[in-house]
Amino acid sequence: MDLGIRGRRALVSAASKGLGRGCAGALAAAGVDLVICARGAEALEATAEDLRRSYGVKVTAVQADVTLEADRARVLEAAAGVDILVTNAGGPPPGLWNDWSREDFLKALDANMLTPIAFMQALVPGMAQRGWGRVVNITSASVRAPIDVLGLSNTARTGLTGFVAGTARQVARQGVVINNLLPGIHATDRAVSLDQGAAKARGITPEEARQARAASIPAGRYGTAEEFGATCAFLCSEHAGFIIGQNILLDGGATNLTL
Ligand code: NAP
C-alpha cells in the first residue's frame, strides 16, 4: 500500500533503538525524511547511517536527552516545520506502588507526559496552519490495564492520554491527526531489562522469565519493532485522516478486554 507520505518530514524522538527506531525505519521506507534523536551518539549515528543507506532519505541525527528543555530546543530547531511527530522516551524503572518519592514521580511525568506534550505544543500549531499533520505518541498497554510493577508508567502515561483525548479533537478540523500507539511486550532492550527484573523477583533465569511472559500473550511471542513501526507509519499515513484521538493497542492479545 502506498502510504501517500513520500517527501514529507518527520521527527521521531528517542529513535536510535527499539520501538522508536522501528517507527523511524517504517517512515523512511515510506519515503519520509527524518530527524531522530537519542542520548547515546554512537547508536544514534549508526541508526541514521543505516536508514540513509537503506532508504535513500535524508536523516538528521541530534544527540539529545528529550527530557531536558535545552536539548529539546536543539531537536525542535532541526525539526522546524515537520509534518509528522512520533513522540517517544525511555520508560520509567519498575518497583512497587509505595517505593517512589516525589522526585521519582516528577522524572516519570517529565519523560512520559510533559515531554511529549511539549513536542506537540511546539509542532502542532505549524501543522494546523499548513492544514496537514500526524502525531503518534508511543505510550503503553499500561493505560488500558495497569501493570503492577510499572506504577510510574501507569500514572504518567494516563496523564498524557487524557491530554491527547482532548487535544486531538480540537485540532482534527485543521487536518492534524493525533493518536497514541500502545505497545504490549516487544522484543527490545527495554523488554530484556524487564525480563531480568522479573527473573530476579521470581528467582528464575531471564530466559525462563521471557518464556513465561511470551506464554502469557495469546500470539505466543513478543512483538517486533518492525511490526510496531509499520502500524505507526499507517497512523502517520494519508489513509489515517479519520482516526482521531484513539489508543491503538498492539499487544498480541495480551490485555484481556472485550472493547
Ligand atoms: P529501548 O529499546 O530501551 O529504546 C529506547 C530508545 O530511546 C533508545 O534509542 C534510547 O537511546 C532512547 N532514549 C531513552 N531515553 C531517552 C531520552 N531521555 N532522550 C532521548 N532518547 C532517549 O525501549 P523500547 O522498548 O523501544 O521502548 C520505547 C518506549 O515504549 C519506552 O517508553 C517504553 O517504556 C515503552 N514501552 C515499551 C514496551 C516494550 O515491550 N518494549 C512495552 C510498553 C511500553 P539512548 O539510551 O541512547 O538515549
Side-chain angles (χ1 to χ4, degrees):
M1 182 192 287
D2 179 1
L3 296 183
I5 49 177
R6 182 165 298 280
R8 293 214 180 259
R9 287 180 66 232
L11 165 61
V12 185
S13 69
S16 64
K17 300 178 192 166
L19 303 180
R21 183 190 169 134
C23 296
L27 288 169
V32 174
D33 293 327
L34 295 169
V35 176
I36 59 172
C37 70
R39 294 164 303 180
E42 203 176 317
L44 178 66
E45 202 33 67
T47 294
E49 191 45 34
D50 188 37
L51 295 174
R52 287 182 199 114
R53 220 175 321 106
S54 304
Y55 303 108
V57 294
K58 279 189 213 145
V59 183
T60 306
V62 184
Q63 185 185 4
D65 179 338
V66 289
T67 64
L68 304 177
E69 202 175 337
D71 283 21
R72 234 176 13 245
R74 287 190 295 107
V75 174
L76 284 168
E77 202 181 323
V82 291
D83 310 290
I84 296 167
L85 165 66
V86 179
T87 73
N88 185 34
L96 289 179
W97 65 275
N98 58 355
D99 285 346
W100 299 301
S101 65
R102 175 180 165 77
E103 208 40 50
D104 297 323
F105 278 104
L106 290 178
K107 267 193 202 150
L109 291 171
D110 248 341
N112 301 122
M113 180 180 135
L114 298 174
T115 291
I117 290 175
F119 275 131
M120 283 185 270
Q121 287 181 323
L123 294 172
V124 166
M127 297 177 190
Q129 223 166 30
R130 293 185 297 275
W132 197 96
R134 299 286 185 264
V135 179
V136 173
N137 299 291
I138 300 179
T139 65
S140 171
S142 69
V143 304
R144 295 298 308 281
I147 299 172
D148 55 1
V149 295
L150 289 178
L152 290 173
S153 172
N154 300 340
T155 306
R157 297 186 199 276
T158 304
L160 172 63
T161 305
F163 176 83
V164 167
T167 304
R169 289 166 173 86
Q170 292 169 59
V171 297
R173 207 173 283 274
Q174 286 121 294
V176 184
V177 169
I178 309 181
N179 291 291
N180 301 322
L181 192 49
L182 285 50
I185 304 178
H186 292 258
T188 65
D189 289 357
R190 167 87 174 161
V192 170
S193 93
L194 291 176
D195 288 344
Q196 282 163 351
K200 206 170 154 200
R202 294 175 56 196
I204 56 178
T205 67
E207 184 46 35
E208 285 167 336
R210 181 186 172 96
Q211 280 171 13
R213 294 215 299 154
S216 73
I217 302 172
R221 63 174 177 86
Y222 286 8
T224 69
E226 289 73 22
E227 60 199 349
F228 189 88
T231 309
C232 175
F234 180 80
L235 289 173
C236 296
S237 77
E238 202 55 60
H239 311 296
F242 208 52
I243 306 175
I244 304 294
Q246 299 302 300
N247 292 282
I248 313 289
L249 187 57
L250 203 59
D251 71 344
T255 312
N256 197 24
L257 299 166
T258 301
L259 288 175

